[in-house]
PDB file of all heavy atoms in Angstrom:
ATOM      1  N   GLU A 285     118.453  95.397 116.411  1.00 96.00           N
ATOM      2  CA  GLU A 285     118.176  96.668 115.970  1.00 96.00           C
ATOM      3  C   GLU A 285     116.710  96.993 115.859  1.00 96.00           C
ATOM      4  O   GLU A 285     116.225  98.079 116.117  1.00 96.00           O
ATOM      5  CB  GLU A 285     118.835  96.902 114.549  1.00 96.00           C
ATOM      6  CG  GLU A 285     120.436  97.038 114.701  1.00 96.00           C
ATOM      7  CD  GLU A 285     120.776  98.274 115.419  1.00 96.00           C
ATOM      8  OE1 GLU A 285     120.438  99.333 115.018  1.00 96.00           O
ATOM      9  OE2 GLU A 285     121.500  98.202 116.551  1.00 96.00           O
ATOM     10  N   GLN A 286     116.011  95.915 115.476  1.00 96.00           N
ATOM     11  CA  GLN A 286     114.522  96.115 115.352  1.00 96.00           C
ATOM     12  C   GLN A 286     113.872  96.335 116.680  1.00 96.00           C
ATOM     13  O   GLN A 286     112.998  97.173 116.774  1.00 96.00           O
ATOM     14  CB  GLN A 286     114.082  94.669 114.742  1.00 96.00           C
ATOM     15  CG  GLN A 286     112.504  94.898 114.396  1.00 96.00           C
ATOM     16  CD  GLN A 286     111.924  93.540 113.859  1.00 96.00           C
ATOM     17  OE1 GLN A 286     112.479  92.547 114.030  1.00 96.00           O
ATOM     18  NE2 GLN A 286     110.868  93.707 113.078  1.00 96.00           N
ATOM     19  N   TRP A 287     114.409  95.659 117.688  1.00 96.00           N
ATOM     20  CA  TRP A 287     113.663  95.672 118.902  1.00 96.00           C
ATOM     21  C   TRP A 287     114.345  96.807 119.841  1.00 96.00           C
ATOM     22  O   TRP A 287     113.630  97.325 120.692  1.00 96.00           O
ATOM     23  CB  TRP A 287     113.656  94.410 119.737  1.00 96.00           C
ATOM     24  CG  TRP A 287     112.553  93.610 119.141  1.00 96.00           C
ATOM     25  CD1 TRP A 287     111.784  93.808 117.954  1.00 96.00           C
ATOM     26  CD2 TRP A 287     112.049  92.392 119.754  1.00 96.00           C
ATOM     27  NE1 TRP A 287     110.928  92.773 117.858  1.00 96.00           N
ATOM     28  CE2 TRP A 287     110.999  91.890 118.968  1.00 96.00           C
ATOM     29  CE3 TRP A 287     112.452  91.669 120.953  1.00 96.00           C
ATOM     30  CZ2 TRP A 287     110.328  90.755 119.192  1.00 96.00           C
ATOM     31  CZ3 TRP A 287     111.707  90.521 121.265  1.00 96.00           C
ATOM     32  CH2 TRP A 287     110.693  90.078 120.400  1.00 96.00           C
ATOM     33  N   PHE A 288     115.586  96.914 119.759  1.00 95.00           N
ATOM     34  CA  PHE A 288     116.201  97.846 120.691  1.00 95.00           C
ATOM     35  C   PHE A 288     117.167  98.869 120.196  1.00 95.00           C
ATOM     36  O   PHE A 288     117.913  99.584 120.929  1.00 95.00           O
ATOM     37  CB  PHE A 288     117.139  96.956 121.693  1.00 95.00           C
ATOM     38  CG  PHE A 288     116.328  95.704 122.331  1.00 95.00           C
ATOM     39  CD1 PHE A 288     116.550  94.416 121.767  1.00 95.00           C
ATOM     40  CD2 PHE A 288     115.373  96.050 123.133  1.00 95.00           C
ATOM     41  CE1 PHE A 288     115.874  93.417 122.386  1.00 95.00           C
ATOM     42  CE2 PHE A 288     114.697  94.911 123.789  1.00 95.00           C
ATOM     43  CZ  PHE A 288     115.013  93.686 123.292  1.00 95.00           C
ATOM     44  N   GLY A 289     117.186  98.906 118.836  1.00 95.00           N
ATOM     45  CA  GLY A 289     118.325  99.855 118.276  1.00 95.00           C
ATOM     46  C   GLY A 289     117.545 100.806 117.288  1.00 95.00           C
ATOM     47  O   GLY A 289     116.458 101.364 117.566  1.00 95.00           O
ATOM     48  N   ALA A 290     118.234 101.059 116.182  1.00 95.00           N
ATOM     49  CA  ALA A 290     117.760 102.144 115.213  1.00 95.00           C
ATOM     50  C   ALA A 290     116.549 101.695 114.417  1.00 95.00           C
ATOM     51  O   ALA A 290     116.175 102.451 113.587  1.00 95.00           O
ATOM     52  CB  ALA A 290     118.901 102.637 114.427  1.00 95.00           C
ATOM     53  N   GLY A 291     116.065 100.498 114.605  1.00 96.00           N
ATOM     54  CA  GLY A 291     115.080 100.082 113.758  1.00 96.00           C
ATOM     55  C   GLY A 291     113.761  99.978 114.518  1.00 96.00           C
ATOM     56  O   GLY A 291     112.633  99.529 114.043  1.00 96.00           O
ATOM     57  N   VAL A 292     113.663 100.496 115.718  1.00 95.00           N
ATOM     58  CA  VAL A 292     112.526 100.460 116.545  1.00 95.00           C
ATOM     59  C   VAL A 292     111.352 101.214 115.810  1.00 95.00           C
ATOM     60  O   VAL A 292     111.527 102.386 115.402  1.00 95.00           O
ATOM     61  CB  VAL A 292     112.667 101.026 117.914  1.00 95.00           C
ATOM     62  CG1 VAL A 292     111.441 101.340 118.650  1.00 95.00           C
ATOM     63  CG2 VAL A 292     113.588 100.204 118.776  1.00 95.00           C
ATOM     64  N   GLY A 293     110.214 100.600 115.730  1.00 92.00           N
ATOM     65  CA  GLY A 293     109.039 101.247 115.133  1.00 92.00           C
ATOM     66  C   GLY A 293     108.955 101.208 113.601  1.00 92.00           C
ATOM     67  O   GLY A 293     107.983 101.726 112.986  1.00 92.00           O
ATOM     68  N   LEU A 294     110.021 100.799 112.985  1.00 95.00           N
ATOM     69  CA  LEU A 294     109.998 100.770 111.505  1.00 95.00           C
ATOM     70  C   LEU A 294     109.565  99.378 111.033  1.00 95.00           C
ATOM     71  O   LEU A 294     109.859  98.327 111.529  1.00 95.00           O
ATOM     72  CB  LEU A 294     111.352 100.976 111.016  1.00 95.00           C
ATOM     73  CG  LEU A 294     112.116 102.264 111.494  1.00 95.00           C
ATOM     74  CD1 LEU A 294     113.512 102.406 110.914  1.00 95.00           C
ATOM     75  CD2 LEU A 294     111.295 103.454 111.107  1.00 95.00           C
ATOM     76  N   SER A 295     108.793  99.377 109.928  1.00 94.00           N
ATOM     77  CA  SER A 295     108.292  98.143 109.343  1.00 94.00           C
ATOM     78  C   SER A 295     109.353  97.671 108.260  1.00 94.00           C
ATOM     79  O   SER A 295     109.184  96.531 107.776  1.00 94.00           O
ATOM     80  CB  SER A 295     106.918  98.250 108.854  1.00 94.00           C
ATOM     81  OG  SER A 295     106.867  99.011 107.683  1.00 94.00           O
ATOM     82  N   GLY A 296     110.162  98.530 107.722  1.00 97.00           N
ATOM     83  CA  GLY A 296     111.080  98.114 106.717  1.00 97.00           C
ATOM     84  C   GLY A 296     112.353  98.863 106.893  1.00 97.00           C
ATOM     85  O   GLY A 296     112.507 100.057 106.805  1.00 97.00           O
ATOM     86  N   PHE A 297     113.401  98.121 107.151  1.00 98.00           N
ATOM     87  CA  PHE A 297     114.771  98.729 107.222  1.00 98.00           C
ATOM     88  C   PHE A 297     115.797  97.645 106.891  1.00 98.00           C
ATOM     89  O   PHE A 297     115.580  96.448 106.749  1.00 98.00           O
ATOM     90  CB  PHE A 297     115.034  99.383 108.598  1.00 98.00           C
ATOM     91  CG  PHE A 297     115.188  98.378 109.697  1.00 98.00           C
ATOM     92  CD1 PHE A 297     116.404  98.037 110.076  1.00 98.00           C
ATOM     93  CD2 PHE A 297     114.053  97.919 110.333  1.00 98.00           C
ATOM     94  CE1 PHE A 297     116.494  97.197 111.062  1.00 98.00           C
ATOM     95  CE2 PHE A 297     114.151  97.121 111.453  1.00 98.00           C
ATOM     96  CZ  PHE A 297     115.478  96.697 111.883  1.00 98.00           C
ATOM     97  N   ALA A 298     117.026  98.220 106.761  1.00 98.00           N
ATOM     98  CA  ALA A 298     118.167  97.254 106.419  1.00 98.00           C
ATOM     99  C   ALA A 298     119.313  97.516 107.394  1.00 98.00           C
ATOM    100  O   ALA A 298     119.502  98.622 107.803  1.00 98.00           O
ATOM    101  CB  ALA A 298     118.624  97.362 105.002  1.00 98.00           C
ATOM    102  N   VAL A 299     120.001  96.547 107.757  1.00 97.00           N
ATOM    103  CA  VAL A 299     121.284  96.603 108.646  1.00 97.00           C
ATOM    104  C   VAL A 299     122.437  96.182 107.608  1.00 97.00           C
ATOM    105  O   VAL A 299     122.312  94.915 107.203  1.00 97.00           O
ATOM    106  CB  VAL A 299     121.203  95.810 109.833  1.00 97.00           C
ATOM    107  CG1 VAL A 299     122.477  95.861 110.528  1.00 97.00           C
ATOM    108  CG2 VAL A 299     120.063  96.228 110.717  1.00 97.00           C
ATOM    109  N   VAL A 300     123.362  97.013 107.346  1.00 97.00           N
ATOM    110  CA  VAL A 300     124.517  96.579 106.680  1.00 97.00           C
ATOM    111  C   VAL A 300     125.742  96.516 107.503  1.00 97.00           C
ATOM    112  O   VAL A 300     126.057  97.458 108.193  1.00 97.00           O
ATOM    113  CB  VAL A 300     124.794  97.511 105.468  1.00 97.00           C
ATOM    114  CG1 VAL A 300     126.076  97.122 104.704  1.00 97.00           C
ATOM    115  CG2 VAL A 300     123.544  97.588 104.555  1.00 97.00           C
ATOM    116  N   THR A 301     126.358  95.331 107.472  1.00 95.00           N
ATOM    117  CA  THR A 301     127.599  95.239 108.261  1.00 95.00           C
ATOM    118  C   THR A 301     128.807  95.194 107.403  1.00 95.00           C
ATOM    119  O   THR A 301     128.881  94.496 106.437  1.00 95.00           O
ATOM    120  CB  THR A 301     127.548  93.971 109.078  1.00 95.00           C
ATOM    121  OG1 THR A 301     127.595  92.844 108.252  1.00 95.00           O
ATOM    122  CG2 THR A 301     126.286  93.864 109.933  1.00 95.00           C
ATOM    123  N   VAL A 302     129.819  95.974 107.877  1.00 94.00           N
ATOM    124  CA  VAL A 302     131.074  96.148 107.089  1.00 94.00           C
ATOM    125  C   VAL A 302     132.169  95.623 107.952  1.00 94.00           C
ATOM    126  O   VAL A 302     132.354  95.980 109.098  1.00 94.00           O
ATOM    127  CB  VAL A 302     131.321  97.516 106.748  1.00 94.00           C
ATOM    128  CG1 VAL A 302     132.622  97.676 106.021  1.00 94.00           C
ATOM    129  CG2 VAL A 302     130.138  98.126 105.989  1.00 94.00           C
ATOM    130  N   GLY A 303     132.985  94.578 107.417  1.00 90.00           N
ATOM    131  CA  GLY A 303     134.055  94.077 108.163  1.00 90.00           C
ATOM    132  C   GLY A 303     134.750  93.017 107.428  1.00 90.00           C
ATOM    133  O   GLY A 303     135.168  93.166 106.307  1.00 90.00           O
ATOM    134  N   ALA A 304     134.957  91.868 108.153  1.00 89.00           N
ATOM    135  CA  ALA A 304     135.584  90.754 107.451  1.00 89.00           C
ATOM    136  C   ALA A 304     134.798  90.267 106.219  1.00 89.00           C
ATOM    137  O   ALA A 304     135.294  89.928 105.184  1.00 89.00           O
ATOM    138  CB  ALA A 304     135.600  89.456 108.448  1.00 89.00           C
TER     139      ALA A 304
END
Side-chain angles (χ1 to χ4, degrees):
Chain A
E285 287 296 301
Q286 181 182 27
W287 278 15
F288 309 106
V292 168
L294 305 181
S295 73
F297 69 93
V299 175
V300 174
T301 65
V302 181

